[in-house]
Amino acid sequence: MNKLAIRLSLAAKAHWEKVQAHTRGNEDRGDISITTVIIWTAAVAGALAIAGTIAIVVVKYQGKLSGI
């Protein structure tokens, strides 16, 4: 059991070092610009407005749209 624990510990340490080496060159990862946030917010708001408009039109003219 002790040998297994040592092997697992060494394997975990080696994996952690690989992860650290991989991310060392990418310090700017995870940063999101305010422009991206604004664009996504506008896109979601636009999509919701379009979906809401379609829903209102469908409810309002439901009987008249049955032949389409």
Side-chain angles (χ1 to χ4, degrees):
M1 181 67 178
N2 196 14
K3 288 182 181 181
L4 179 62
I6 291 172
R7 285 183 185 173
L8 287 174
S9 174
L10 290 174
K13 182 180 179 190
H15 180 68
W16 179 252
E17 288 173 355
K18 283 182 190 177
V19 169
Q20 290 296 321
H22 179 69
T23 59
R24 208 168 280 134
N26 299 326
E27 281 84 20
D28 64 340
R29 286 184 68 198
D31 291 343
I32 186 165
S33 69
I34 191 68
T35 306
T36 304
V37 172
I38 292 170
I39 291 170
W40 273 103
T41 303
V44 170
L48 288 174
I50 292 169
T53 303
I54 291 171
I56 290 169
V57 169
V58 167
V59 168
K60 185 173 182 179
Y61 297 107
Q62 190 170 8
K64 297 178 184 178
L65 293 174
S66 61
I68 294 178

